Structures are given as structure tokens and as C-alpha cells.
């Protein structure tokens, strides 16, 4: 039976769980029916899915299930405590498994609870967004907001199994697809130019047709897997995946997260490339080649005299900084990213403004 | 300089931190003065110590220090969040070290925070109670209460270094010393009879004179180290350290923790031995030999018709049970403990009552 459902599978090595499997599954309802027979499962599900996937989630009606609210304001220790209270009401035991169904926020909440309940309880994950399927589902990180601080709290705690069901993507908006594409692009650019050029050609098709996505998801996970297996706890090599993120996070911060994560990262990569260009690390031709891909995914956003100070302040708060030096990932060409520390000074401020004047939308 | 302060040292192997060191130190004030020069230390100290060890803690006056309230009602996620807020006010960074100074509750709170802040931050520990010095300081466990549930939340997260300063024990009450002795005895009885017989001879001296304690602390840690290095996450071998604990925890629960932990465990071991005797696992001679040691540390407590039901209910809630079977550690003689599942039935209830009728104080 398993053969009918699982189309493809690989594992990720982990120092925390030896290894954990990622399986692409073609059918999810039977999957839930079968796994629901394992009485020690408790499902924790993003409540938005309840109506979007009524048929697929039908087997959970007779299972122990908690529907949770998944937005940034609920990604907290306090909300996690509320969910733990519901787990206790459902009679959770140490040898139960928590089954998370949802996107990155569902993942964060369940992974966090699984880290601290009974000093660790098993969890499995069905990612339902492109961002979660192509990126966050592997890599062990959980992130919880604390007061006004984003992702200050968290643990390293991968699920024991990940099931990717592509049909969950059918209800996603174009904006959510674009966000996933931005995240995938950032992985591709750490390896080379080829996949980015392919995605450029497929870009319009990807927005309207989900059937091309598996190829890109596979490649994104393949690149991430290679690095996280070498540096699971993000102490060295894995830093390269901050490419686009340092500059992207600061955009998210000053726009109150109005720009979806993966699109903010697309601008972030373009900024990192622009700085690399002006440091003589890449040529104009190399910048242009990457920009032609990135600009497809870049939303309207400009750094101007009215927001540049706030932007530089957000960069200055980045936890990867050393003293006053901004720790960011720049590039010597696609596939050749590297960590560089740059001062947040007047010249740097001017460089950012001139990026937006030339390339901002 | 370090040579002058550290009298003895060993390490514990850990899959989480490779290994961590336990050092017995002869002098603590200079130690704090030196380590305080490391600007990335933040001290988290049981506020009871502030006046008890004013001189020793003087160097912390110029350091980043948080005094915390350490009792069972503060061993919570909510109080941990309050402490995290204070850490943020003190400008905590990912590469800082949290330095815990206190007993088991201080340890639990700091270890828990260190597990979840920035996905893990370094911590070091100066245990100040006999229980913490002879037992909890090694073994990686943190335990946090949740609503009415004791130790439901927690993580495995050993400190990177442990400094044992025996003078911290000088202010302990006899009851706290007795509690530590109970915990040490339970380690000794997993190895054999020799150390238990020694402690029997030294018992009265130990209550009034701290100078004999180092020998017993060393041996307790030595026995624990051997097992936790083989089973850090308490999935198999380490279960033997539940000896006395299953029956002891239930005593603590029904007396609202009026009996100190290590003394409840002393009764717990005596009960486990009594059950072992009645199962034919040990002889009356063997029971008596162990009882002669244990009775020195057993406080007044009796199971009678008025509390036996509540006691059996507390046992039935033990998380190590399988269905209705109580998972407990019994003995085939000192040094030969083993896990046994016993039904909580009428005969068992009667056995417990007859234990108290014969041996209860």
C-alpha cells in the first residue's frame, strides 16, 4: 500500500535524530486513514485548512485533533502553552506522536512544543505551503516570537518524518507561490545559475500551473540538505543561506511584513548583488544576469530618504552583526557566495539609495 | 591561578555537548572575580543566596546579575519568560553565557531558558545544595512544572561546565543534608552495599560536619556518570535510577511535598525492597541489611486506610506505567536492581499497608 502512495523519498542526516525521511506522496486521504489507525497520533492542524481541504482531512474527524490559529501573533510561548493544555485534555502521553499539518507557523509551534513536552516527544510534518515544502520542512529549526522580538525563542528539532503532498499547493495564491519562488531562488544562487535560468523561463507557467513545482521543490531541498547535513546547528557553512535574508529581513521589519518573505528575500539578493558589484566582486554582466531572474519576483519597494534611516537601523539590529559591522552574504558570482562584514556608514547608506534609484520598482 | 582553585575535576561524555567538566573548587570569590572579567557572562542567582553568601557573591555587584525566586511555584514557563525579559533588558546576546548559582530549581529554570533562547545559549552551573551537587548537576535534565503537572515540561541540556564549591553547603539545614543523603543512597544501592554501610557509620557525623561530604558526593556522581554516559536520554539503562523514585514521588504527591525529596526516596527504596522481599527476589537478611541503613534517613510517614487509595492513584498516574501496570525498579540485592511491572491491585494495596504496619514510622 505504501508503494501506491509514496512517489519519491530521501533522507536527511541529523545529529539529533540520526536521520529523518522526506516522502513525496500522491494521495493524502488514505494516508491519514492509515496513520489514524495508529492510536498514538495527535493531529495539530492550521485551522485555515479545515474548510480548504475538507475531503482530505475527513479521516481526522475521528482522530484526536487540535485546530490552531496560525499567524505571527500566535507564534508565541503563551499560545504554545494553550496548545499544550489541549494536548493534555486529549490525554497526550510521552510515546505519542504530534502530527503537524500546515505551513511554517504550524511547523514552528508544533516543533517547539515537541521539544519541550516530556523533554521531547515525536512529531511528523505535512507541509502545506510552498515555503514549507521547498525550505523550512527540513533543517531542524523552530522559531517563536517573544514580545516584540521575532524568532528570539526556538530549538533545533526536526520531525521524524515529512510527507510532501503537492495538491496542498492548489489553493495557494500567486503571492504565496512568488514567496516560495524567492526562497527557492536563494538556494539555487548558492549553487550556480542553471536552475535560476530555468525558473526564469518557467516563471509565468509556475504562477498558474502547479505541475512544474515538484522539480523545483526537489532541487531546493537537495541543495539545502547538502549544507544542513554538514552544519545542522548553523554555526558556519549554513550561514551562506543568509544570502538575501539579511537585507530581506530588514525590508520585512520596516514594512511590518507587508511584503511576503520570499519576495523580500528576492529584493535582498538583488541588493546583496548590487553591493557585490560595487565592491568589484562581480561584473555588471553577472549582476544583470541574476537581476533578470530576480526582477521577475521583485514587488514594488523603494529605499528613499524617507525610510533609509529606519532600514539601516533594522540592519544594525541583525543578530549576525559583529559590533557595528553588518554580517551579510555577498557573491562572487552565482554559486560563489561568501560572508562579508560591511560598515553601516554614509557611503553604504548612499549605495543602498542608489540601488533603489536604479533598480527599485 | 586555576591550579590554586581547582582541587579535582572530571568530565561527563554527552551526545549534546561532546563532554562537560565538573570541577571541585576550593575558593569561589576569586573564581567569580576572574570569570566576571568575561564580559559575556550573565549571572542568574537564587535570591536566597544574596544574604547567605554576601562575601562570596560580592564580585557579582559589578556584573550583569538577575536574582530569581526559586520555589516550585516559580518553576514554570511563565516565570522563565519573566527571566528572559530581564535577560533582554541586560542586553543578552547569542554568544553570552548564563551562569546559574543555586540549587535544583535554579538549575531547572536556567537550563530551560538556555535550551530555548536563540535556539540554545551556553550555560554554566554552580550548584549550592547537596541534592544539586551530588545528583542533578550532571545528567542533562531540566524540569518545569505546567499547571498542576509536576515536571511535565523540560529538555535535555547539560551545562558546559559545573563548579562544585563545598562551602556552599555550610548553610544547609539537617533536613536538606538528609535529603541529599537519600539521593546518594539510591545511587549507592544500584552499585552494591559498601558505600551504604559506610554512610551508615558516618551518618550522625554527616549531619553536623560537612567535611566528610566530598567523598560521598564524588561517589554519587561517579555512579551516575557511568550510566548517563551510556543512556543520556533515559530510554533504557538509566531507568534503574528510578529506584525508590516511583514510590517516593507518590509520597511527595500525597503529602504536598512536605517530605523532602531525598527522604521520600529513602522510604521509596524501603518499599521497593519490601516488595522485592515478598516477590522472593531478596531474602529477609538482605532486606534487613538495607533497611538498617535506610531507616536512619526515613521520616515519620505511614500508609493507612486513610491515604492508601490516594497513594495508589498517585502511583497509577506515573508516566512510566504501561496501561494499568506500574513500572518500577525492584532489587535482587544491593547492586542488582531491575525494572519490573506490577499490577496495582488489592493484593498490592495490602502489601503496601503491611509494609507501613511493620516498618513505617
Amino acid at each position: 500500500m505504501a508503494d501506491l502512495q509514496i512517489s519519491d523519498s530521501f533522507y536527511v542526516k541529523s545529529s539529533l535524530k540520526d536521520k529523518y525521511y522526506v516522502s513525496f506522496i500522491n494521495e493524502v486521504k488514505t494516508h491519514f486513514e492509515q496513520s489514524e489507525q495508529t492510536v498514538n497520533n495527535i493531529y495539530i492542524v492550521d485551522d485555515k485548512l479545515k474548510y480548504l481541504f475538507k475531503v482530505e482531512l475527513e479521516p481526522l474527524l475521528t482522530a484526536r485533533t487540535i485546530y490552531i490559529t496560525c499567524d505571527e501573533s500566535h507564534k508565541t510561548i503563551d499560545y504554545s502553552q494553550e496548545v499544550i493544555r489541549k494536548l493534555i485534555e486529549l490525554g497526550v502521553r510521552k510515546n505519542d506522536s504530534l502530527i503537524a499539518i500546515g505551513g511554517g507557523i504550524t511547523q514552528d509551534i508544533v516543533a517547539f512544543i515537541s521539544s519541550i513536552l516530556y523533554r521531547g516527544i515525536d512529531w511528523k510534518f505535512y507541509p502545506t505551503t510552498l515555503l514549507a515544502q521547498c525550505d523550512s520542512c527540513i533543517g531542524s529549526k523552530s522559531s517563536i516570537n517573544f514580545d516584540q522580538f521575532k524568532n528570539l525563542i526556538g530549538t533545533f528539532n526536526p520531525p521524524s518524518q515529512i510527507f510532501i503532498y503537492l495538491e496542498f499547493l492548489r489553493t495557494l495564491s500567486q503571492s504565496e507561490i512568488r514567496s516560495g519562488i524567492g526562497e527557492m531562488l536563494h538556494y539555487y544562487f548558492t549553487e550556480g545559475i542553471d536552475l535560476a535560468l530555468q525558473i526564469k523561463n518557467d516563471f509565468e507557467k509556475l504562477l498558474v500551473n502547479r505541475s512544474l513545482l515538484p522539480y523545483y521543490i526537489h532541487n531546493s531541498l537537495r541543495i539545502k540538505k547538502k549544507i544542513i547535513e554538514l552544519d545542522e546547528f548553523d554555526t558556519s557553512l549554513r550561514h551562506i543561506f543568509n544570502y538575501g535574508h539579511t537585507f530581506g529581513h530588514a525590508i520585512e521589519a520596516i514594512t511590518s511584513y507587508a511584503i511576503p518573505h520570499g519576495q523580500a528575500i528576492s529584493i535582498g539578493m538583488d541588493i546583496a548583488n548590487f553591493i557585490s558589484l560595487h565592491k568589484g566582486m562581480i561584473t555588471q554582466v553577472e549582476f544583470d544576469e541574476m537581476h533578470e531572474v530576480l526582477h521577475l519576483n521583485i514587488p514594488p519597494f523603494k529605499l528613499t530618504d524617507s525610510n533609509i534611516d529606519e532600514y539601516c537601523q533594522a540592519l544594525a539590529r541583525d543578530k549576525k552583526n559583529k559590533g557595528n559591522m553588518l554580517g551579510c552574504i555577498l557573491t562572487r558570482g552565482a554559486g560563489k557566495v561568501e560572508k562579508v562584514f560591511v560598515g553601516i556608514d554614509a557611503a553604504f547608506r548612499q549605495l543602498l539609495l542608489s540601488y533603489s534609484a536604479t533598480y527599485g520598482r
Side-chain angles (χ1 to χ4, degrees), chain A residues 15-252:
Chain A
S15 70
L16 295 162
K17 288 202 173 149
D18 184 25
K19 56 185 159 195
Y20 53 98
Y21 282 88
V22 182
S23 303
F24 286 76
I25 58 175
N26 295 323
E27 208 279 331
V28 80
K29 194 180 167 187
T30 323
H31 210 259
F32 288 143
E33 277 163 3
Q34 288 182 345
S35 77
E36 194 261 310
Q37 288 161 14
T38 315
V39 289
N40 63 347
N41 283 347
I42 303 187
Y43 295 86
I44 303 179
V45 186
D46 180 341
D47 62 5
K48 289 189 289 294
L49 302 174
K50 200 171 183 172
Y51 302 102
L52 289 173
F53 297 99
K54 206 169 175 171
V55 174
E56 287 87 343
L57 298 180
E58 215 175 61
L60 306 195
L61 291 173
T62 53
R64 292 186 292 175
T65 304
I66 299 168
Y67 288 95
I68 62 173
T69 310
C70 291
D71 55 35
E72 283 291 327
S73 73
H74 285 78
K75 216 178 77 172
T76 63
I77 295 180
D78 289 335
Y79 190 62
S80 301
Q81 291 197 82
E82 279 184 44
V83 178
I84 291 173
R85 259 173 219 116
K86 288 183 185 161
L87 285 167
I88 293 170
E89 282 170 25
L90 291 174
V92 65
R93 306 280 300 207
K94 190 173 168 44
N95 61 346
D96 284 343
S97 288
L98 308 182
I99 315 293
I101 309 175
I105 294 177
T106 313
Q107 170 182 355
D108 282 324
I109 293 171
V110 177
F112 181 67
I113 291 172
S114 139
S115 298
I116 65 169
L117 182 61
Y118 298 124
R119 294 196 197 96
I121 174 169
D122 179 58
W123 77 288
K124 300 181 170 66
F125 185 33
Y126 292 80
T128 60
T129 63
L130 182 53
L131 269 176
Q133 290 192 352
C134 76
D135 172 25
S136 70
C137 67
I138 64 171
S140 313
K141 288 183 181 177
S142 74
S143 308
I144 297 290
N145 300 330
F146 186 84
D147 294 344
Q148 72 271 40
F149 304 100
K150 192 169 157 70
N151 299 343
L152 187 94
I153 299 296
T155 54
F156 288 97
N157 177 28
S160 58
Q161 264 194 298
I162 297 153
F163 300 102
I164 297 185
Y165 176 59
L166 294 156
E167 273 297 306
F168 277 132
L169 307 182
R170 71 170 186 258
T171 61
L172 293 185
S173 67
Q174 285 206 359
S175 151
E176 285 169 300
I177 297 292
R178 280 176 178 276
S179 189
I181 289 174
E183 197 71 79
M184 294 195 291
L185 272 176
H186 117 280
Y187 286 115
Y188 302 161
F189 277 130
T190 66
E191 188 180 63
I193 194 76
D194 296 353
L195 283 159
L197 295 179
Q198 286 179 42
I199 224 172
K200 185 174 78 168
N201 288 330
D202 284 339
F203 198 84
E204 293 306 320
K205 279 181 267 179
L206 282 169
L207 294 182
V208 292
N209 178 354
R210 307 291 183 257
S211 69
L212 293 171
L213 282 171
Y215 172 78
Y216 290 105
I217 294 172
H218 264 277
N219 276 294
S220 180
L221 293 174
R222 176 185 56 76
I223 295 167
K224 183 172 182 179
K225 166 186 152 80
K226 209 167 49 188
I227 301 296
I228 59 177
E229 286 186 338
L230 296 170
D231 180 23
E232 185 170 19
F233 301 121
D234 202 2
T235 61
S236 53
L237 195 56
R238 190 169 169 178
H239 289 179
I240 62 167
F241 292 149
N242 287 322
Y243 178 53
H245 279 65
T246 309
F247 299 107
H249 282 156
I251 292 170
E252 290 180 279

